[in-house]
Amino acid sequence: MAKKNVSIFMLTALAVLTAQCLTGGEAAPADGGAEIPAGEKYVALTFDDGPRRGTTERLLDGLKERGAKATFFLIGQQIEDNAALVARMAEEGHQIGNHTWSHQRLDGILPDEAAQEVARTEAALEALLGGGEYWLRPPYGQVAEGADFGVPLVKWCVDPRDWESRDAGKVAQAVLECAEPGSIILLHDIYPTSVEAALQVVDRLQEEGYWFVTVEELLWLNGVKPEAGRMYRTGRG
Ligand code: NI
């Protein structure tokens, strides 16, 4: 997410929180036109290994219809061929992050190779979307001890292993069994079954009063100030 968007979001969220204190619960429009009231149930859907033509597009359509925001951790070498999709993610208020250039395990390669994997993806994102902070989800959730890539690191607390079952109903069920306010949910938008599962999860949890926000918004709404180099598994920090 570009810095400008972050500050617009924070100002708007602050306005919402202030409005809540003053009026006792009315929501004001937040970034992207969605309403994000304070003190509600929030979760973050995150999608790794894309973008992928077809599946990511279908997901973006579904999220848009439902007014849900998500976070996409992109593989650098797939960005250029899918530039329009990535631009659309940003335009529609989703957070965009880095999942390395070629999906390398960062604790299994030399430190300068790891730095390259991250920097090359960051450069591709900056070329397409402009300067900003692109948070990192390391493949397999691991970085070498002491490695600092200069941005917050995002892990997850709900993992339905969607790549294994490739069954939308099972994946949705596994998420619904574990999700709670503050959850960061791991899915992969390269599988049609995971896209279908994600939309089922949004439908069900929205009925239960949940709001789908980006990871950055989730942390902010929980009063957590993100720090570079720190790994976040839930919205509670
Ligand atoms: Ni991955």
Side-chain angles (χ1 to χ4, degrees):
M1 186 183 284
K3 284 199 176 96
K4 195 181 82 184
N5 290 341
V6 175
S7 51
I8 289 170
F9 167 74
M10 288 186 176
L11 285 174
T12 314
L14 185 64
V16 172
L17 293 171
T18 309
Q20 291 247 318
C21 297
L22 295 175
T23 64
E26 277 177 38
D31 192 18
E35 292 183 350
I36 304 182
E40 298 290 336
K41 298 191 279 190
Y42 301 104
V43 285
L45 283 176
T46 64
F47 296 94
D48 287 8
D49 298 0
R52 181 173 184 259
R53 205 160 294 152
T55 49
T56 305
E57 203 162 20
R58 158 100 184 94
L59 176 62
L60 287 173
D61 290 344
L63 294 174
K64 191 176 181 185
E65 278 167 30
R66 291 162 177 78
K69 298 289 184 271
T71 303
F72 291 87
F73 293 99
L74 306 182
I75 294 180
Q77 63 187 2
Q78 293 163 206
I79 291 172
E80 197 179 332
D81 286 347
N82 295 288
L85 266 181
V86 179
R88 182 181 165 192
M89 286 171 188
E91 274 164 29
E92 295 183 356
H94 303 294
Q95 184 177 352
I96 295 171
N98 186 333
H99 197 48
T100 75
W101 183 259
S102 59
H103 208 268
Q104 293 291 314
R105 199 180 160 111
L106 293 176
D107 61 346
I109 55 178
L110 293 169
D112 52 340
E113 288 172 347
Q116 268 301 315
E117 279 282 326
V118 174
R120 213 174 155 191
T121 304
E122 216 163 60
L125 288 170
E126 281 175 6
L128 184 62
L129 303 173
E133 201 175 61
Y134 300 101
W135 296 7
L136 176 64
R137 169 165 284 158
Y140 315 100
Q142 301 292 333
V143 294
E145 208 174 313
D148 182 3
F149 298 96
V151 290
L153 309 174
V154 183
K155 211 168 165 174
W156 55 83
C157 56
V158 176
D159 176 9
R161 298 172 72 90
D162 60 336
W163 47 270
E164 198 171 58
S165 73
R166 310 271 185 99
D167 178 316
K170 276 187 190 158
V171 171
Q173 190 56 37
V175 172
L176 292 167
E177 275 168 15
C178 300
E180 57 182 11
S183 289
I184 296 177
I185 300 161
L186 170 65
L187 289 165
H188 297 81
D189 55 320
I190 55 173
Y191 306 120
T193 43
S194 299
V195 170
E196 180 55 34
L199 299 177
Q200 286 180 19
V201 165
V202 174
D203 287 339
R204 177 69 72 82
L205 291 184
Q206 280 183 337
E207 277 172 22
E208 293 178 19
Y210 276 87
W211 294 72
F212 287 82
V213 296
T214 68
V215 172
E216 185 167 33
E217 290 166 348
L218 186 68
L219 291 172
W220 199 90
L221 286 159
N222 280 283
V224 179
K225 191 171 177 290
E227 291 166 33
R230 185 152 170 207
M231 180 86 83
Y232 295 91
R233 292 173 178 78
T234 78
R236 284 176 230 95

